[in-house]
Structures are given as C-alpha cells and as structure tokens.
Amino acid sequence: MHPFEALRTSLSSTIAGPWAKQALRFAPVDVEAYETLFLQTGLTLPAPLRAELISHGAFEWLPIRDEEAAQDEELVPFEELLREVRVPWAGRNLLSRGLHLLTPAELLQTFRSQRAAASAWAPMGAMWVFAAPRDYLWAEAFAFDTRFREYAVVPFHEDAIGESLEVAQSGPLRHSQANLTAWAQWLCDQISMTVERLAREEPTRTFEASSPPVAQPIELRDWEERVAGGALWSSFAVPVWREALRSGPSAMAARVLDDVGTLVTKGSIPDYQLPSPIDLLHRLPLEGPTSRRAAVLEMWAHRRPGLEVAAPVHVAFDLFLSRAHQASVAPREVLRELTPIAWADRGPAADEDTRWARALLWALGPAEPERLAEATSQVLSSGEKGRALLETMWLRLVPFAQRAGVL
C-alpha cells in the first residue's frame, strides 16, 4: 500500500478522518512526458517516482476547510489553532496549504527558475522543486537535491534555501530525506503527529478538505469589451493581457503590445512584467514553415554547430533541420546520446559542445514555447545574458511573427 493511502486509513478514526478521506487524490498521468523532461534536464526519473506514476498517478493533498469555525464564531479558526499548538512544520504546511506533485509544465517552470538562480549562485542548480502547494510553487515546497547519487528530498522555500545551502556546504540539508520513499514516510509521520497534537487541543472538532481546484479559463471576450469601452490592456492583471497576447486575434495582440509595451520600449520595467518571446512562440503554429521550431532557427540567426563539435550534436542538428516544420518529438535514443555531452556537469554551459547539446535536447523534445525558449537561449547565451538575451530573441521573433500573420 502507498504510504499516503496507509496514512489515510490510519487517520480515519481521528478528528482529521473526514479530511483525509476527501483530501488524498491520485490522477493518471503521461509517464513518458515525465521521462522526457527528466532526460532533457540531464537527470534520471527516480525509480520510485516512475513506479508511483505508473501504479497511482500524481498525488495531491487538498488543504483543510474549517467549516465549523466558519459557522461558529466561538471556535478558534484552524489557521489560528495551528499557530497556538506546537505542531511539526511540514504537517502544518500540508494541512493548511495542501501539496501536489508538479505537472511536467510546472516542473519545467521550477527547473528554469532554479537554473536561472544558479547563474548567480551555482549550488541552486542542484535543487529542483517537484512538490508544492498549488497557490505558490516556491514556498512550503519540496525539492530533489541532485548533488547526491540517489536524489535526496529537501524542504524548499525560496527565501530560506540559500541560507540552508550555505550552512550545509556540500553536505545534506536540515530535514533532508535520503530518497523519495523515505520522504513519503517522513511526511506521513509529520502529518500524524500534527493531527495528534491538534486532537489533544480540540478533541471534538472535525475537519474537512477544501474543494478540488478548478482552473477557470480567461474569457477574452469580456476583457475585449472593456478595451472597446476605453480600458487599456496594461491596466489588467498580467495573466489577462498575457493570455490575450498568446491566444487572441492579431489585432488584439497588437493592441496589447501598444498598451503594455515591450522589452525594448519599456527598459525601466522588469522583464517578467512585460511580454516575452515565449508569448510570441505561443502564437505560432506547431507545424509548417512558420512553426515554433522554424522560429528557433530564426532566433538562432541560422547558426550551426562548428566542425569541432561532437558527432552526435551534428546528427541531432541535421535531425532538427529535417523536423523544423514538424511537431514530432525526436526518438528517445537521439536525446540519450546528447545527454552525456549536454550535462557532463551541472554548471553553466561553458563550451560549444555543451551549449549545442543542451539546445538540441530542448529543441527536439515537445514543441512547447518554454522548451524552445530554453533551446534558443542556450545557443545565444555565449555572448549575451539576462535581459539583453531576451531582447535579442524578441527583436528576431517579432518580424517572424509578422510574416507568419499572427502579429
């Protein structure tokens, strides 16, 4: 039995019984999508995680909903109760905020974020957040610590992880668990102890789980009407105008760029608050002469690997050229041949072989904008960094998008 399922059973007769029954969920997943992403990052999908994905799918613990306190003003609200009672921090965080195994898209997001952080401080490149609350991926989370042969699992909070790494130097971090299996059991123990202490404080209370999260798509028509009435896209929340830019009609996308500005017209605004090359890649089709992969060639300025670069890189590059107008993923063996060249070490790409191998690993996988942006940056990053790199990508991609008729 999975440790999480065993915990649900053991909590059934406690004050957290109703919560445990409703809170633990498993959802089927595409295991190959996880395997491909791990391969592209130069890491191995841990055997326990692969087995769990096959047998159970991706786990999620929903947070507690304190219905009793909402209806009875004399009861101490759950969050306040947690502050008053000394409970283990991991159990407290899971009960109050929930926890889920990240999807491949979320894993890519945390991987790219932590690789970016590693450009300033190398040890951050060894961390990879894989489980987190739904409302925030970089707090009350857990990460693989890839410094060790069998990835340890460590607590991760972006405000504290740097200090933890400095204190630990090259050794294990505090609360580090040897592997995924040990972490699952440790987390169950933390939850059990939390429930025990809450039960001693409030033995008659019971708790239920919050409703499962439901993603609400952004209805662009409603926002378009507000723009027609005189509103500016720049006055709306970033997810709203970003969705309008990524999926709206060409006229809507052009208006977003006029109202919000771009990387090259608003130099004083942080790049994460402005349209990104990734947004334009979303507008391009998966296949054809104006495909997303063809756009990568445009942003690469049609550069090629040098003659001195390893043979597998040239083979992969020729394959990429032959598939630039297609959406299919390269055969797994091609990606595997690139991996030892791309990830001989976890540091920044310091030579041509490494840059091209990493670029092609990303470019030959699923044609997702975030992966293709990573492919582009690997080739261009030898001469440019940070915002300058994004500006170069942007300036090369805008004319391509205009010729494609999507902008």
Side-chain angles (χ1 to χ4, degrees):
M1 181 182 289
H2 191 288
F4 290 167
E5 291 181 313
L7 175 65
R8 176 169 55 188
T9 301
S10 69
L11 293 178
S12 61
S13 60
T14 71
I15 64 170
W19 167 77
K21 182 179 179 181
Q22 303 159 347
L24 178 59
R25 310 186 323 146
F26 290 98
V29 297
D30 180 354
V31 179
E32 189 170 324
Y34 282 88
E35 289 184 317
T36 299
L37 178 59
F38 272 76
L39 184 58
Q40 288 180 298
T41 63
L43 300 170
T44 302
L45 181 68
L49 178 55
R50 187 179 188 278
E52 181 177 320
L53 291 174
I54 292 171
S55 60
H56 290 86
F59 74 83
E60 175 163 26
W61 285 101
L62 298 172
I64 274 179
R65 180 185 72 223
D66 195 359
E67 200 66 35
E68 287 184 84
Q71 298 174 2
D72 187 345
E73 294 182 359
E74 294 185 4
L75 286 177
V76 178
F78 178 64
E79 291 289 345
E80 189 176 329
L81 183 61
L82 283 176
R83 288 193 294 270
E84 292 179 356
V85 180
R86 286 182 60 84
V87 297
W89 60 269
R92 176 192 67 218
N93 291 344
L94 186 144
L95 290 171
S96 62
R97 301 189 70 170
L99 190 74
H100 77 292
L101 178 70
L102 271 54
T103 64
E106 290 171 325
L107 281 170
L108 181 58
Q109 188 179 350
T110 58
F111 176 83
R112 295 178 77 234
S113 172
Q114 284 146 234
R115 291 299 300 178
S119 65
W121 196 46
M124 279 295 293
M127 301 293 116
W128 190 5
V129 169
F130 73 93
R134 282 204 172 270
D135 57 351
Y136 194 48
L137 298 184
W138 291 279
E140 283 82 48
F142 292 94
F144 288 124
D145 185 347
T146 64
R147 295 176 299 164
F148 306 100
R149 185 173 179 181
E150 187 173 7
Y151 310 145
V153 177
V154 297
F156 188 98
H157 192 299
E158 64 179 355
D159 295 336
I161 191 66
E163 182 181 347
S164 298
L165 283 165
E166 282 184 344
V167 170
Q169 298 296 325
S170 60
L173 302 187
R174 190 180 178 209
H175 300 299
S176 175
Q177 303 301 312
N179 52 49
L180 194 69
T181 304
W183 168 77
Q185 189 57 60
W186 170 82
L187 188 59
C188 289
D189 293 341
Q190 293 275 297
I191 297 168
S192 292
M193 285 189 286
T194 301
V195 172
E196 280 179 26
R197 293 179 190 179
L198 289 173
R200 285 201 296 267
E201 189 73 19
E202 293 277 358
T204 61
R205 290 275 289 276
T206 57
F207 298 102
E208 297 183 349
S210 297
S211 299
V214 179
Q216 297 294 334
I218 296 172
E219 295 291 344
L220 292 180
R221 184 181 304 171
D222 299 337
W223 301 95
E224 190 175 15
E225 290 175 359
R226 293 173 65 175
V227 170
L232 298 176
W233 285 106
S234 56
S235 65
F236 302 147
V238 172
V240 173
W241 63 251
R242 183 149 273 150
E243 183 59 35
L245 175 57
R246 291 181 175 193
S247 64
S250 298
M252 181 185 291
R255 177 68 189 272
V256 169
L257 296 182
D258 286 343
D259 290 352
V260 177
T262 72
L263 289 160
V264 293
T265 63
K266 294 266 182 94
S268 62
I269 297 179
D271 55 71
Y272 62 85
Q273 294 180 1
L274 290 169
S276 157
I278 290 175
D279 298 317
L280 292 190
L281 284 169
H282 271 276
R283 296 191 62 78
L284 296 172
L286 286 170
E287 301 193 327
T290 59
S291 71
R292 294 171 179 177
R293 284 201 178 120
V296 170
L297 284 172
E298 188 80 7
M299 289 186 286
W300 280 347
H302 297 278
R303 294 184 190 178
R304 303 181 64 92
L307 294 176
E308 71 284 357
V309 171
V313 175
H314 284 284
V315 171
F317 183 78
D318 290 342
L319 181 64
F320 178 72
L321 289 180
S322 71
R323 296 185 175 214
H325 298 171
Q326 303 172 18
S328 58
V329 176
R332 190 69 61 85
E333 56 267 23
V334 173
L335 301 180
R336 285 203 182 96
E337 287 182 350
L338 290 171
T339 300
I341 305 170
W343 297 105
D345 67 72
R346 306 303 296 174
D351 56 57
E352 200 78 349
D353 258 18
T354 305
R355 274 194 296 274
W356 274 106
R358 287 184 189 178
L360 290 164
L361 262 178
W362 290 112
L364 288 168
E368 297 170 0
E370 291 75 11
R371 301 192 200 209
L372 297 180
E374 194 68 20
T376 304
S377 68
Q378 291 297 329
V379 171
L380 300 183
S381 62
S382 56
E384 296 176 322
K385 303 288 183 185
R387 186 166 182 140
L389 173 61
L390 289 174
E391 288 176 0
T392 297
M393 293 167 63
W394 180 266
L395 289 170
R396 292 177 182 175
L397 192 52
V398 167
F400 184 89
Q402 290 171 335
R403 292 197 302 273
V406 299
L407 195 62

